[in-house]
Amino acid sequence: MKFIHAADIHLDSPLTGLSAYADAPVEMLRTATRDAFSNLVTEAIEQAVDFMVIAGDLYDGTWKDHNTGIYFCKEMGRLKKAGIPVYLLYGNHDAESEMTKKLQLPDNVFAFDSRKPSTFRLDNLKVALHGRSFKEKETLENLVTGYPAPVPGMFNIGVLHTALEGNAAHASYAPCSLDELHAKGYHYWALGHVHEHQIWEGASTVVFPGNLQGRHIRETGPRGAVKVTADGQGIQDIQRLFVDVLRWACLDVDVTECKMLSEVVSMIGKALDELVESSPSTIPIAVRVTVTGKTAAHGDLFGLESQLRAEVLALAVAMGAERLWIEKVRVATSAADEGKALRARADALSDLQDLLQAAESDADFLKSLQDELLGLVNKAPLELQTSVPYFKAIRAGELVDLVREVRPGLLSHLAKVE
């Protein structure tokens, strides 16, 4: 017996972080979650699985565009022709969705009740699936306690949308513990809500398949579902199925040995080459490049950050726009000598270093600096208001960290210019 366990599909949820580029892959960004789901349906048909389980967040919140639901019905029609039923549990995003409340699903799709736990029995496979959908988004009760006892002589699967314990990065919907899941006596727990793939063995096998398609830079690496194979003795194999159509990656490049901007660009180019070579040739990569290290090139990077970004974008285009996209270029370097060389010079730059260091504890200077910067902050576009981390500190008058961070880069850059 084989089945696919998927979750957190978030149909038609947009991919964020690339849309600002003039030559961004707009169509791919718009249809990525659909394309990944179509890939999953194709896998189910080609591998002739017995059924599919979707453990919540099929849709993406309060959207009322029924084209999303119509697309889902079309894909379910493909599974129906192949004789594959689908067992669907609604999660917190589905509870918000108009499609969940109104759209009639094909007759090979069986949705778990939201009022109480329900059980679907597949007598020909000796499988029992137990689950309870979310009725409200803010479902904060422990649903597991109400799930029924396992059906004797059946392979029992619990389907649940939950934050589980210890997942602080996700809203604590339907909280429960691993011990509670193991104690229920089911063979397999098909979980959803947490977007990272995780698996626990024990009295039960407990699995988060992860989301089907990474949607931003915080969801890096391959994404997809799992295929579970079982027999009368229990679970025999759990295999990940990667169905994503675009992957996100964070690339840290240590430029400690570099002395100038051109060397930094060259090192980033090599790192990008290695990333592309090690990735599947059919899947584009969206990359955040972070430049790190104590380096003599820090002054160049401080003063020419926009040029560095342009250079990295040019590298990506040269490698092929269909293979590589740059989400962001971040500079997180520091000066190689931390100001020691400047102090030894005893000139204007040395004096400036002393002044900037003293400014960190000069209340009048910090207040004057805040007044100057507020004029810029208040005129900044809306997208910058949330993306620039120091804006909040400037408004609050907390500028010591800002001055402390700018000082070595500014001095290093001035020394380079000189």
Side-chain angles (χ1 to χ4, degrees):
M1 182 269 289
K2 296 180 293 186
F3 67 93
I4 283 177
H5 164 205
D8 301 289
I9 294 158
H10 294 280
L11 279 179
D12 286 348
S13 173
L15 273 59
T16 57
L18 293 175
S19 57
Y21 291 100
D23 56 348
V26 176
E27 184 64 19
M28 179 184 292
L29 299 179
R30 188 178 67 81
T31 65
T33 51
R34 285 193 185 195
D35 295 341
F37 188 66
S38 293
N39 287 347
L40 180 69
V41 170
T42 298
E43 285 278 355
I45 295 168
E46 289 181 351
Q47 302 206 28
V49 300
D50 294 289
F51 59 91
M52 181 185 292
V53 176
I54 299 176
D57 286 357
L58 168 65
Y59 300 122
D60 194 54
T62 56
W63 295 11
K64 300 178 182 180
D65 183 357
H66 280 73
N67 286 324
T68 305
I70 292 167
Y71 158 79
F72 175 67
C73 289
K74 176 175 72 73
E75 293 301 309
M76 293 302 96
R78 293 175 60 203
L79 292 177
K80 181 178 178 179
K81 288 178 183 176
I84 301 173
V86 177
Y87 297 90
L88 172 63
L89 182 137
Y90 292 126
N92 54 291
H93 282 278
D94 300 314
E96 299 177 274
S97 173
E98 290 290 320
M99 267 106 53
T100 304
K101 300 168 187 172
K102 296 180 180 178
L103 198 65
Q104 186 72 36
L105 296 173
D107 60 9
N108 65 319
V109 180
F110 303 90
F112 289 97
D113 199 322
S114 62
R115 295 165 296 179
K116 61 181 181 179
S118 54
T119 298
F120 294 107
R121 294 175 61 124
L122 287 66
D123 292 322
N124 61 320
L125 296 173
K126 294 186 178 180
V127 170
L129 296 107
H130 315 278
R132 180 180 171 185
S133 291
F134 279 30
K135 185 176 182 180
E136 307 289 341
K137 175 185 176 182
E138 302 291 337
T139 299
L140 302 177
E141 63 182 294
N142 185 336
L143 300 180
V144 172
T145 56
Y147 276 44
V151 178
M154 293 275 199
F155 183 88
N156 287 269
I157 301 172
V159 188
L160 178 66
H161 200 74
T162 176
L164 204 54
E165 56 187 0
N167 278 294
H170 295 78
S172 57
Y173 298 134
C176 63
S177 69
L178 272 174
D179 288 341
E180 288 175 303
L181 298 182
H182 288 309
K184 205 71 190 182
Y186 296 168
H187 296 84
Y188 184 90
W189 278 98
L191 304 186
H193 186 54
V194 174
H195 288 192
E196 299 300 322
H197 172 71
Q198 297 177 63
I199 183 167
W200 295 268
E201 302 286 358
S204 301
T205 299
V206 182
V207 178
F208 281 114
N211 59 340
L212 220 57
Q213 169 62 56
R215 298 175 298 159
H216 45 69
I217 195 61
R218 295 186 301 280
E219 296 179 346
T220 57
R223 301 275 158 168
V226 295
K227 184 186 74 172
V228 182
T229 304
D231 59 18
Q233 305 303 312
I235 294 171
Q236 298 303 314
D237 182 55
I238 299 177
Q239 175 188 348
R240 293 191 73 184
L241 300 175
F242 299 125
V243 298
D244 48 349
V245 296
L246 181 143
R247 255 166 224 179
W248 301 83
C250 291
L251 185 65
D252 291 342
V253 183
D254 186 341
V255 297
T256 299
E257 303 303 319
C258 297
K259 293 180 173 58
M260 59 188 67
L261 179 66
S262 60
E263 295 176 2
V264 172
V265 173
S266 177
M267 188 161 285
I268 293 173
K270 291 176 183 175
L272 289 173
D273 276 333
E274 291 172 3
L275 177 65
V276 169
E277 285 295 320
S278 64
S279 303
S281 60
T282 56
I283 300 180
I285 316 164
V287 187
R288 175 175 292 183
V289 177
T290 302
V291 185
T292 64
K294 285 188 174 183
T295 173
H298 181 64
D300 272 3
L301 297 175
F302 181 86
L304 301 172
E305 196 163 342
S306 60
Q307 182 179 334
L308 175 65
R309 179 178 177 277
E311 296 274 11
V312 175
L313 288 174
L315 287 172
V317 171
M319 291 179 188
E322 71 285 352
R323 288 287 286 121
L324 192 65
W325 294 91
I326 304 300
E327 183 262 356
K328 185 179 288 186
V329 179
R330 291 182 61 245
V331 175
T333 56
S334 57
D337 68 355
E338 298 179 336
K340 295 175 184 176
L342 283 179
R343 277 192 289 274
R345 291 168 53 141
D347 61 5
L349 278 180
S350 176
D351 293 342
L352 178 59
Q353 178 170 256
D354 292 340
L355 284 170
L356 288 173
Q357 196 160 5
E360 294 174 18
S361 57
D362 186 332
D364 291 337
F365 169 78
L366 294 175
K367 180 64 174 67
S368 174
L369 180 61
Q370 181 193 21
D371 293 341
E372 293 285 344
L373 292 176
L374 279 174
L376 298 173
V377 169
N378 293 333
K379 295 176 183 176
L382 181 61
E383 60 268 22
L384 290 182
Q385 298 292 340
T386 54
S387 63
V388 178
Y390 278 114
F391 277 16
K392 184 178 179 181
I394 290 168
R395 289 195 183 93
E398 299 168 352
L399 300 178
V400 173
D401 287 342
L402 176 59
V403 174
R404 185 174 295 141
E405 183 170 321
V406 166
R407 173 166 49 88
L410 174 61
L411 292 167
S412 182
H413 177 60
L414 290 174
K416 279 271 189 181
V417 172
E418 185 187 61

